[in-house]
Amino acid sequence: MRFLITAGVLLSALALNAQAVGDDLDVDAVRKEALGKWERFADFAGETYRLVKDVQEKEETLTAYALTGEATYQHKVKYEITVENNLSIFTYWDFTVTISEPAENAPAKDARTRYLFRIKDGKWYQTSMFGESTGIPQLHVWQRPQMPPEVIKELNYFVGTWKTEGTTGKIKSRGHWSTKWSPDYHCLSIDTAYRSVGAERGGHSTGLFGWDAKKREFVIHDFWSFNENYTSRWRVKSDSEWEGELVGVEDGKEFTTKVKVLKKSPAEFVYFSKNAAGEEIEVVFRK
């Protein structure tokens, strides 16, 4: 696997320069602002990876992580940042792969590659390569890391389409629970539907599943088609167990109950709760 810090020609030098009119770039300020870690998410061979580049004083390291947390690729380069015609230019060389096998077409050690970039409002916009004529035009946008890697790993466990088999009191139900990452990987969207076996009860809900950075808890908000809604807050107790508290509204009345999830395998987990009437709820989720 090979991830290079390259981009095609999407924004021209004129477009980038237009942003800088009346705002002359100071090369020392640009160098200082570039330091530290930046991330973006990218698809490769049908899989999504979290790319993290760590810009130090004279060296940049780029690491590709699977969403489960494993580092699958890494390379290092030496670099310099200059400003020419009020444009920020990143030049790198001495390309060295440190995790995974070097690519056959890796640049020579002394080969210098340049690209235009601009850091604005906390984002690193990376565009055209000087001297590069191949490739599909692209724009890469990096930002400071938004969530801890362990949070991404936990959320990613729940991504996918799960079939559900549930019991509420003596009533059984079947349905689905589908989740996917938001476009910029800051939370999951949830689509849920179920129908009771041998009864008319059923419904559909839309929800969000994310991370509360202040309280350091996972949060799920669900809104159901029959005018019920639920907010649950979760804490990770172990690799296989989550627990928390749910505040729900059923028949116009608010109630609170404990909730728990037990992970049986990568393709199965079980949810435990109670409804407003105090009936036990158990739902098995399977991929």
Side-chain angles (χ1 to χ4, degrees), residues 20-254:
V21 171
D23 182 21
D24 290 344
L25 297 178
D26 177 87
V27 66
D28 290 331
V30 173
R31 289 169 180 163
K32 183 178 180 180
E33 194 172 17
L35 295 175
K37 292 184 178 181
W38 301 83
E39 72 175 7
R40 70 181 181 90
F41 293 82
D43 292 332
F44 181 83
E47 298 291 334
T48 301
Y49 295 87
R50 175 176 174 254
L51 309 185
V52 179
K53 62 178 179 179
D54 187 0
V55 183
Q56 300 301 312
E57 288 288 348
K58 297 181 179 180
E59 184 178 74
E60 178 190 74
T61 302
L62 185 145
T63 309
Y65 295 93
L67 296 187
T68 51
E70 297 88 355
T72 61
Y73 172 87
Q74 184 181 82
H75 73 239
K76 294 185 177 182
V77 295
K78 295 178 182 177
Y79 79 92
E80 66 178 0
I81 291 174
T82 56
V83 171
E84 300 177 20
N85 297 320
N86 214 26
L87 297 171
S88 303
I89 300 173
F90 193 101
T91 304
Y92 66 88
W93 65 95
D94 198 12
F95 183 95
T96 304
V97 175
T98 50
I99 296 177
S100 187
E101 295 297 322
E104 293 182 0
N105 59 342
K109 289 287 185 180
D110 59 348
R112 290 184 171 240
T113 307
R114 313 173 76 196
Y115 66 80
L116 300 174
F117 75 101
R118 183 80 191 275
I119 298 174
K120 186 174 180 61
D121 298 329
K123 293 186 176 181
W124 178 311
Y125 298 88
Q126 174 181 319
T127 183
S128 61
M129 300 291 297
F130 293 165
E132 182 180 332
S133 59
T134 61
I136 299 173
Q138 294 178 349
L139 170 69
H140 295 325
V141 182
W142 303 78
Q143 61 183 349
R144 296 297 187 182
Q146 301 297 296
M147 293 188 296
E150 59 271 20
V151 170
I152 295 173
K153 178 181 178 180
E154 289 289 343
L155 286 173
N156 197 64
Y157 170 85
F158 296 100
V159 171
T161 297
W162 306 74
K163 293 182 178 180
T164 63
E165 294 183 3
T167 302
T168 301
K170 296 181 179 181
I171 299 177
K172 296 184 181 298
S173 64
R174 294 190 180 96
H176 76 260
W177 191 71
S178 299
T179 69
K180 62 182 180 180
W181 282 103
S182 63
D184 50 1
Y185 293 84
H186 67 274
C187 70
L188 305 184
S189 61
I190 308 172
D191 179 83
T192 310
Y194 84 95
R195 182 154 294 278
S196 299
V197 178
E200 295 301 321
R201 178 71 167 174
H204 173 266
S205 80
T206 302
L208 292 176
F209 188 175
W211 173 246
D212 185 329
K214 181 177 181 180
K215 294 187 176 181
R216 304 191 65 78
E217 296 175 336
F218 292 92
V219 184
I220 300 176
H221 297 294
D222 276 312
F223 298 91
W224 283 87
S225 56
F226 38 80
N227 201 29
E228 294 179 359
N229 62 84
Y230 304 87
T231 297
S232 53
R233 289 185 165 272
W234 299 86
R235 296 168 294 281
V236 179
K237 302 300 292 184
S238 68
D239 289 341
S240 61
E241 183 176 356
W242 284 30
E243 68 175 25
E245 186 175 81
L246 177 146
V247 177
V249 175
E250 295 180 1
D251 297 323
K253 298 179 181 179
E254 185 175 283

